[in-house]
Amino acid sequence: MQSPLPVRDGVNATRLRLPEEGPWDTALDYMMHRWGHIDPQGIEDRFDAGEIVGEAGVALDRSTPLQEHTFIWYYRTLPPETRMPVELNILHQDDHLLVVDKPHFLPTTPGGTYIQESALVRLRNQLGLPDLIPMHRLDRMTAGVLLLSTNPATRGKYQVLFEKRQVQKEYECVAAAAPAPGHPAVGFPVVVRNRMTKSRSYLLAEVIDGEPNTETRIELLRTFDAGTPAGGGPAPGTAAALAGRLGLYRLEPQSGKTHQLRVHMASLGLGIVNDAFYPVLLDKAPDDYAKPLQLLARGIRFVDPISGTPVEYRSRLNLSHAR
């Protein structure tokens, strides 16, 4: 549903569905029920200023009945954020697409404590492109090629490519050169298939019984001494640190489940260096910019639906542990 309010400071207005009935006479009463304990004066001020609107952009006031609108839109009060010491680099830009190198630690889209400090909001503000929308997502801890649509009129043509799995993605990661104790040896290249699920209430993705819904081809490109990575010390607590050998791997996913590559590598006993989730969930700690997750979206290729020609975009970043 199209928002009647424009993007402001790179952020979309928030949409709220009002209940059809309940012990609230007005939309104001319901919002006070939901968030009055946080900022009651701010809610009243928004109604008085006409900053809360319904369908077609009609402004609500304090007396607007609850049943008058199904959806309302408003701008949230955004908390201050400290700018992350990471930068986005533009790889390609035209009338339809923007392709960037997303750094580690920066989320693709706003959410939680990261609003202004997200790739989408940064780029909207930096380039003056309020209609910018990502065509896919990279985990906050994953770096590399990110594709965004700049043109609402042609956006659907690119979305179809992703829906029909006509986009080929290539990743690289650094992990132990040999599986951790208790895991069998692996003959590369190998294809990992299983069924994964992830709930919003649980941090980790899980492998469960059932028909596979994920697939990744994994190839070992080369092995090398762990040594001291650029920008940081050794990777403590990993099989790689103990064995003294690391491997650079190429990963080619045929599906796109959350944390798929991290789970598939860990299932082989080859947990990715600096992964705080798999194979063992570590205690939450502040971001350590010297120890990024060693996972990079190296490239993306497809037949461009506008020009009809094959295109490929490659990351210019490198993993700090790779040799």
Side-chain angles (χ1 to χ4, degrees):
M1 182 179 292
Q2 183 70 30
S3 171
L5 293 176
V7 171
R8 187 169 76 178
D9 296 329
V11 182
N12 294 86
T14 296
R15 186 183 74 176
L16 174 68
R17 184 185 183 102
L18 296 178
E20 295 181 1
E21 58 184 17
W24 312 283
D25 294 328
T26 66
L28 171 61
D29 291 339
Y30 180 69
M31 290 195 72
M32 284 295 193
H33 166 73
R34 291 286 299 271
W35 295 290
H37 62 289
I38 298 175
D39 184 20
Q41 188 61 54
I43 293 173
E44 292 179 345
D45 290 345
R46 282 188 178 87
F47 275 95
D48 293 341
E51 293 183 350
I52 297 178
V53 305
E55 292 86 346
V58 176
L60 282 65
D61 59 35
R62 296 193 189 200
S63 63
T64 301
L66 179 72
Q67 294 82 9
E68 190 165 304
H69 296 275
T70 302
F71 293 99
I72 61 174
W73 287 262
Y74 61 95
Y75 295 111
R76 288 180 292 168
T77 300
L78 302 179
E81 295 178 58
T82 301
R83 187 174 176 89
M84 293 185 194
V86 296
E87 298 300 330
L88 286 149
N89 293 305
I90 296 175
L91 301 174
H92 171 84
Q93 185 175 0
D94 59 32
D95 292 337
H96 309 285
L97 290 179
L98 174 68
V99 187
V100 300
D101 251 341
K102 186 190 82 67
H104 294 101
F105 302 103
L106 191 70
T108 298
T109 55
T113 59
Y114 304 100
I115 307 297
Q116 295 294 327
E117 284 305 283
S118 64
L120 179 60
V121 175
R122 273 200 191 184
L123 290 166
R124 281 176 171 177
N125 291 330
Q126 175 186 335
L127 302 175
L129 296 173
D131 290 324
L132 197 65
I133 292 293
M135 292 289 90
H136 61 113
R137 295 192 183 192
L138 296 178
D139 287 345
R140 188 172 82 87
M141 305 309 290
T142 302
V145 176
L146 178 65
L147 189 75
L148 304 101
S149 164
T150 62
N151 188 341
T154 60
R155 183 168 299 153
K157 296 181 182 294
Y158 292 95
Q159 289 173 328
V160 167
L161 296 181
F162 286 90
E163 291 169 1
K164 294 186 174 181
R165 297 187 180 180
Q166 295 175 347
V167 177
Q168 289 75 50
K169 300 177 185 177
E170 176 189 341
Y171 291 74
E172 290 177 0
C173 75
V174 175
H183 291 266
V186 181
F188 293 102
V190 64
V191 176
V192 178
R193 299 184 184 91
N194 54 32
R195 185 167 191 83
M196 285 176 49
T197 183
K198 186 181 186 299
S199 70
R200 293 188 176 184
S201 61
Y202 187 55
L203 283 175
L204 301 182
E206 298 178 283
V207 175
I208 60 175
D209 293 334
E211 185 72 20
N213 61 358
T214 62
E215 178 179 322
T216 307
R217 182 183 185 274
I218 302 172
E219 179 182 357
L220 176 60
L221 298 178
R222 63 178 181 273
T223 64
F224 48 92
D225 290 332
T228 301
T238 65
L242 300 176
R245 297 288 291 176
L246 291 172
L248 178 65
Y249 297 84
R250 177 186 292 129
L251 312 175
E252 296 175 321
Q254 302 303 311
S255 51
K257 295 294 184 181
T258 301
H259 294 177
Q260 174 180 321
L261 302 180
R262 298 161 72 173
V263 170
H264 282 181
M265 287 297 292
S267 72
L268 299 175
L270 300 169
I272 298 174
V273 171
N274 293 336
D275 192 341
F277 282 20
Y278 310 96
V280 178
L281 178 62
L282 303 180
D283 291 337
K284 183 174 176 57
D287 289 338
D288 186 341
Y289 296 104
K291 295 180 180 179
L293 175 71
Q294 294 298 285
L295 178 60
L296 173 70
R298 174 57 71 192
I300 189 169
R301 62 186 185 275
F302 53 90
V303 176
D304 190 282
I306 306 299
S307 67
T309 59
V311 295
E312 182 173 10
Y313 302 105
R314 306 284 293 178
S315 175
R316 297 171 187 163
L317 301 174
N318 289 301
L319 295 171
S320 58
H321 285 64
R323 291 287 183 268

